[in-house]
Amino acid sequence: MEAAEQVSVPRDMGGGASRRLRERLIEAALALAAGSSVFVLLGIFGVLLVNGVQAFGTGDGVSLANLSADERAMLSEAELAELGRHTEHAPSVGADFLFSSHWNPTSSVTAAYGVLGMVVSTLIVTLLAIAIAAPVGVGVAAWLAYVAPPRAREILKPILEMLAAIPSVVVGFIGIVFVGPLIARVFGLGNGLNALNGAVLLAVMALPTIISISEDAIRAVPKDYVQASLALGADRWQTLVRVVLPAGASGILAAVMLGMGRAIGETMTVLMATGNAVAMPGSIFDSVRTLTATIAIELGEVPQGSRHYHLLFAVGLVLFVMTFVVNLVSDMVLRRGAPRPS
Amino acid sequence: MTLRERIGFTTLAAATGALVLLVFALLTYIVSGGASVLSWEFLSQSPRAGMTEGGIFPALLGTFLLTILTAVSSVPVGIAAAIYLVEYAREGTFIRLVRLSIRNLSGVPSVVYGLFGVGLFVHALDLGISILASGLTLGLLTLPTTITASEEALKAVPRSYRDGALALGATRWEAIQTNVLPAAAPGILTGVILGLSRAAGETAPILFTGVAFSLPKLPTGLGDQFMALPYHLYILSTQHHDIVRVRPIAFATATVLIGLVAVLNLTATYLRARARSRMHA
Amino acid sequence: MKIESRGLDFFYGTAQALHGVTLGVKTREIFALIGPSGCGKSTFLRCINRMNDTLDGTSVRGMLTLDDADIYAPNVDVVKLRRRVGMVFQKPNPFPKSIFDNVAYGLRLGMKLPRTELEGRVERALRGAALWDEAKDRLSASAMMLSGGQQQRLCIARAIAVEPEVLLMDEPTSALDPIATARLEELMQSLRAAYTIVIVTHNLQQAARVSDTTAFFLHGRVVEVAPTDTLFTRPRVKETEEYITGRFG
């Protein structure tokens, strides 16, 4: 043995520098790709911010709205129109942006830049959609997770997932040709392009998200809880309502919030289905215009670099912050409520 | 079974059944509305007479080209990011930040991606209103989907494929390249196709970055504008001067769009099923 | 000594899995590691080719050498180490490739052999693993088509194709039926002529049948190392005796 030991010449184990360098370079490139998601998120925020803040503050001080009636009377029609065309001459944009519901950025005389009406419209449509989608979605999820035979589940789930695959522009189209007219007939309205129409459609779009995540949450509830409840003499329905759903509550809440996040950001559907009247909505039968729809309608018409252009980025920033907060909260709820892996 | 259970579970089953019926009803409604117009000519011809006649070929082609650009701009980065997250990353601040970003990116509204595309690609990078700007914008939109799906596919590859290769003296990248990626490829492809099918149906991100109402000729370069199916449907159903007259064309366009998305989804589902049965063989 | 471990400690995070492991493996012997589950024998095995490096948060202290060269020295290229120290896993893990491509896998890493040489070395490896006769007519068939025993021999062929000096075997027969196990044990006897083999096994009879030296592990410590005959017939330590007579583990 000792002889053999001496014969075996130790082979080297060091070196391999070029191969190791290649590995390092590849790893660095992959890390860069992973890091790109951070850059993109920061980039989106940055582009919105940089463009958005330029909308605020005063222009060069000469503004139509600031002129007195006398001063205005001294100007010719042509001068008035000229002043109006230059958005720099518009009134300053400040706190009104968030707290006023008057939005009329293109007007030469009564320009106003308040997004409150759109924020309220967005919230009304979204909350109404969630009010419809949450009970239905959680009910369907409960049936799929708690009652349905596995075979039925296997067949039905992909069908429900198809709902998520329908492009939003097609859903909007359905709102125009089907749901809207239906609402108009049922409620005796002139037309059905209103908040309710948008909400119904958004509910349908939010359903797949709510169903799939709630279902996971309900399935994650330990079987012991169910057994314990049944052993105490509760029937299966009581067990579902009093034990399973409360135990899965955080996941279900997260599902609903994610669905809400999607609904807030949905553009084409509400753009096509809600009528787009710019005003503070009074009822769910009013035509409304959401934040998303405003951007979609107006961005095509504004000259780049104008105040109106920057305002739309500010609107985008409001939208970004709203969805960011909703998603972050749902994420935190999901994480906190998730059962710790053993 | 108590009466309470019977009523409760029947209600839940009815809700599920109603939703499934709704899916079929919507699809049938759209398809039957467009059936009279659908034909080979509808797919292969350009719109004529102010879109009241002819087909949708330019929009179909535009969506096809746009989807390819989307894939090119997002798939390599997305897969690379997923490889890093699954194969290399060690928990730490950087990784937590990356995961947080990915989760939040997937929640960013598509119209905000559109704004970003306008601000960055169209103006700051001066790509102009072009198919390239639209493709890049949609690429970013698809990125979180691609990453997440690729991660799932990579995680499904048995650890023994990696360990076996490493024990034979493969470097980490060699093990990934030769053993992990081939095994994960069908899963990655499935996720990529699903992501692209979503991108193909998007309207808001392309609205101001490159899509056009109507074009006299087909796009020939990356700087050209293009027509796209979803936008075409939007125009036909809300912006056209004779909305009632073009309604059947709108229905048919919606049918084609749904058909396109359905084909992509079914392909993805088929690939996933095949990959699963193979892995268990 | 081919492999020498002196005072080797190993940690998963803060949990210590090995405590001062000291033993020596001679050239071209079969060295068995036995002990109850969780005693650290597999962990020790995976230190020898540094497979534990692939797990997060592990650390090593002490000395582990191959031909008197420190395995954990900072300048060691693990890739080169693993080409000298091959490994066969508990569960056969053929890659989802053809039989030929499985065996050729290591030969294609970082080098480009002419086709004829590649074929020759694949054949030699398959013969060495006693799989040639069964596989020669279907080299391009998927390795997944082979039986469990054949798959494990394929994994051995794959490991010896790169001509390592040491073969680590981590319970290589635990997933095999008795006939396949017997064939594999036979194979190990023939491999001993060319390789130093370190085998982890749960099966005491197997250790007694195939190995020259046996080390008994308990709670991350080496309780006793001795020539296999001695350890199984006249154990010096009480725990060893209790274990081999089946009183625990």
Side-chain angles (χ1 to χ4, degrees):
Chain A
M1 273 305 169
E2 287 308 308
E5 179 76 5
Q6 278 158 9
V7 175
S8 107
V9 182
R11 276 156 47 175
D12 89 300
M13 293 192 288
S18 74
R19 214 160 160 213
R20 250 193 277 186
L21 179 68
R22 197 188 61 157
E23 286 288 312
R24 288 261 171 80
L25 289 176
I26 289 170
E27 183 171 346
L30 296 173
L32 193 67
S36 70
S37 56
V38 183
F39 297 132
V40 174
L41 189 66
L42 290 178
I44 290 175
F45 187 69
V47 165
L48 293 179
L49 197 66
V50 166
N51 282 291
V53 292
Q54 292 179 47
F56 294 91
T58 42
D60 54 13
V62 185
S63 130
L64 260 184
N66 290 348
L67 298 179
S68 67
D70 291 344
E71 286 171 315
R72 207 173 283 175
M74 285 157 52
L75 296 168
S76 69
E77 281 295 318
E79 285 173 302
L80 272 173
E82 173 67 13
L83 261 182
R85 254 195 298 280
H86 288 292
T87 42
E88 285 79 4
H89 299 160
S92 69
V93 181
D96 280 1
F97 178 71
L98 286 180
F99 300 110
S100 156
S101 63
H102 294 286
W103 176 263
N104 197 1
T106 49
S107 164
S108 53
V109 185
T110 55
Y113 311 107
V115 295
L116 188 63
M118 298 167 210
V119 173
V120 172
S121 297
T122 297
L123 290 177
I124 284 181
V125 176
T126 302
L127 293 176
L128 196 57
I130 293 303
I132 301 168
V136 178
V138 175
V140 171
W143 191 77
L144 286 173
Y146 186 72
V147 189
R151 187 101 188 91
R153 228 185 125 252
E154 257 170 59
I155 297 172
L156 294 181
K157 276 205 78 171
I159 297 176
L160 294 177
E161 275 165 17
M162 274 165 60
L163 215 46
I166 301 178
S168 58
V169 69
V170 173
V171 178
F173 179 64
I174 291 168
I176 292 175
V177 296
F178 180 73
V179 181
L182 189 69
I183 288 173
R185 198 175 324 149
V186 170
F187 295 99
L189 307 169
N191 76 66
L193 299 181
N194 54 30
L196 179 63
N197 189 13
V200 169
L201 298 169
L202 286 189
V204 173
M205 298 182 79
L207 271 173
T209 309
I210 295 181
I211 291 174
S212 121
I213 297 174
S214 303
E215 202 209 333
D216 289 345
I218 294 171
R219 290 168 78 81
V221 173
K223 292 278 172 289
D224 307 359
Y225 293 12
V226 176
Q227 305 286 344
S229 167
L230 293 176
L232 287 169
D235 64 32
R236 290 195 14 98
W237 176 258
Q238 287 170 317
T239 303
L240 173 66
V241 174
R242 299 200 191 155
V243 176
V244 177
L245 293 184
S250 64
I252 293 171
L253 185 63
V256 171
M257 299 219 35
L258 273 182
M260 196 166 127
R262 285 199 64 182
I264 292 175
E266 182 44 56
T267 308
M268 296 316 286
T269 305
V270 287
L271 172 63
M272 293 164 81
T274 60
N276 299 316
V278 193
M280 184 62 97
S283 91
I284 59 168
F285 299 116
D286 281 358
S287 166
V288 295
R289 195 209 265 188
T290 62
L291 293 163
T292 52
T294 301
I295 299 171
I297 291 168
E298 298 181 5
L299 190 59
E301 299 163 356
V302 298
Q304 187 226 336
S306 66
R307 166 161 281 171
H308 189 185
Y309 173 88
H310 293 306
L311 270 169
L312 292 175
F313 279 84
V315 173
L317 196 60
V318 172
L319 191 58
F320 180 82
V321 170
M322 281 171 75
T323 51
F324 188 85
V325 168
V326 169
N327 287 319
L328 203 66
V329 171
S330 81
D331 204 54
M332 276 156 56
V333 170
L334 196 62
R335 249 138 244 283
R336 184 155 310 166
R340 301 245 156 245
S342 51
Chain B
M1 205 185 250
T2 64
L3 183 64
R4 182 170 49 210
E5 285 178 295
R6 202 166 298 166
I7 294 174
F9 291 141
T10 309
T11 311
L12 296 188
T16 311
L19 199 54
V20 170
L21 278 181
L22 180 73
V23 175
F24 282 114
L26 289 181
L27 294 180
T28 315
Y29 179 68
I30 300 272
V31 174
S32 64
S36 63
V37 182
L38 270 182
S39 65
W40 173 244
E41 283 69 34
F42 184 70
L43 298 178
S44 62
Q45 290 181 359
S46 290
R48 284 193 314 272
M51 293 190 188
T52 57
E53 287 171 32
I56 53 166
F57 178 70
L60 200 57
L61 179 77
T63 289
F64 176 72
L65 296 175
L66 179 67
T67 307
I68 290 176
L69 273 179
T70 305
V72 170
S73 62
S74 85
V75 172
V77 180
I79 294 176
I83 292 175
Y84 186 79
L85 289 173
V86 175
E87 308 287 340
Y88 288 86
R90 297 188 173 211
E91 287 315 313
T93 315
F94 174 64
I95 288 310
R96 273 207 302 281
L97 209 60
V98 168
R99 293 193 190 282
L100 186 75
S101 299
I102 293 169
R103 280 200 302 275
N104 279 297
L105 279 178
S106 63
V108 171
S110 57
V111 72
V112 171
Y113 278 98
L115 276 173
F116 179 61
V118 170
L120 182 69
F121 299 129
V122 175
H123 295 314
L125 297 181
D126 207 17
L127 299 178
I129 293 177
S130 62
I131 193 167
L132 180 59
S134 283
L136 291 171
T137 307
L138 279 184
L140 294 183
L141 177 102
T142 324
L143 197 59
T145 319
T146 311
I147 296 177
T148 312
S150 305
E151 267 192 277
E152 294 301 318
L154 289 168
K155 281 186 198 153
V157 175
R159 201 190 153 86
S160 66
Y161 288 12
R162 299 177 180 85
D163 284 356
L166 293 176
L168 286 168
T171 61
R172 212 196 286 228
W173 174 246
E174 284 166 343
I176 292 165
Q177 199 186 12
T178 57
N179 266 7
V180 178
L181 280 182
I188 293 177
L189 194 61
T190 302
V192 164
I193 293 173
L194 284 177
L196 290 180
S197 92
R198 260 191 65 194
E202 281 287 357
T203 316
I206 58 175
L207 216 45
F208 315 109
T209 52
V211 79
F213 186 93
S214 170
L215 290 171
K217 62 182 186 60
L218 299 172
T220 53
L222 291 175
D224 286 0
Q225 285 185 268
F226 62 101
M227 291 172 72
L229 272 183
Y231 187 61
H232 197 64
L233 174 59
Y234 172 66
I235 295 298
L236 288 174
S237 53
T238 67
Q239 310 285 299
H240 198 270
H241 59 86
D242 196 353
I243 282 178
V244 179
R245 193 153 150 230
V246 295
R247 185 107 314 158
I249 299 181
F251 268 103
T253 307
T255 305
V256 174
L257 186 53
I258 288 179
L260 185 77
V261 170
V263 167
L264 288 172
N265 275 270
L266 288 175
T267 311
T269 312
Y270 167 75
L271 284 172
R272 181 164 52 193
R274 207 182 60 165
R276 263 192 202 152
S277 65
R278 264 206 198 157
M279 229 177 228
H280 295 304
Chain C
M1 288 290 162
K2 186 70 184 174
I3 301 163
E4 192 157 15
S5 172
R6 240 179 269 150
L8 192 73
D9 295 335
F10 185 85
F11 301 84
Y12 292 107
T14 53
Q16 188 164 4
L18 294 179
H19 301 262
V21 170
T22 298
L23 56 81
V25 179
K26 291 190 278 274
T27 302
R28 299 206 182 93
E29 74 166 337
I30 298 184
F31 192 104
L33 308 174
I34 61 168
S37 298
C39 66
K41 55 192 189 307
S42 286
T43 300
F44 176 70
L45 191 79
R46 292 164 72 91
C47 283
I48 303 173
N49 65 346
R50 289 182 59 171
M51 277 305 280
N52 287 325
D53 286 17
T54 62
L55 304 172
D56 283 353
T58 60
S59 54
V60 188
R61 220 161 49 191
M63 195 67 175
L64 185 63
T65 58
L66 176 67
D67 289 336
D68 299 323
D70 185 1
I71 287 173
Y72 280 91
N75 67 332
V76 166
D77 182 355
V78 290
V79 164
K80 285 189 177 171
L81 170 69
R82 288 175 190 154
R83 294 185 83 83
R84 294 177 57 191
V85 183
M87 186 168 205
V88 178
F89 294 80
Q90 189 169 356
K91 214 170 143 254
N93 62 340
F95 305 141
K97 303 172 186 295
S98 73
I99 293 174
F100 184 90
D101 287 343
N102 262 277
V103 181
Y105 185 88
L107 298 171
R108 284 172 170 153
L109 293 172
M111 53 181 162
K112 191 128 183 80
L113 295 175
R115 182 78 195 174
T116 47
E117 164 142 28
L118 190 67
E119 284 171 355
R121 289 177 73 164
V122 167
E123 177 177 343
R124 219 179 321 148
L126 282 167
R127 282 188 193 283
L131 193 60
W132 176 249
D133 291 336
E134 291 150 81
K136 65 174 184 239
D137 297 326
R138 44 175 176 159
L139 290 175
S140 55
S142 167
M144 299 305 200
M145 311 289 284
L146 298 172
S147 72
Q150 289 171 328
Q151 287 188 0
Q152 197 60 304
R153 275 181 278 140
L154 180 74
C155 292
I156 292 176
R158 195 171 68 185
I160 63 179
V162 294
E163 295 172 358
E165 299 151 45
V166 178
L167 267 182
L168 308 178
M169 297 190 172
D170 191 357
E171 300 185 32
T173 61
S174 65
L176 304 183
D177 63 60
I179 297 170
T181 300
R183 288 205 68 173
L184 207 77
E185 287 179 8
E186 220 174 281
L187 173 60
M188 285 167 65
Q189 293 303 334
S190 70
L191 290 173
R192 163 204 259 142
Y195 306 96
T196 306
I197 297 175
V198 184
I199 178 174
V200 165
T201 179
H202 255 122
N203 180 336
L204 296 178
Q205 283 79 19
Q206 182 168 66
R209 276 195 302 268
V210 302
S211 70
D212 304 298
T213 310
T214 299
F216 171 57
F217 276 65
L218 189 64
H219 305 315
R221 292 184 166 80
V222 177
V223 174
E224 188 168 353
V225 191
T228 300
D229 304 343
T230 318
L231 188 117
F232 278 93
T233 52
R234 297 183 303 281
R236 281 182 292 108
V237 184
K238 197 173 98 236
E239 280 95 342
T240 315
E241 186 183 346
E242 283 175 352
Y243 181 68
I244 61 179
T245 52
R247 251 170 272 169
F248 71 90

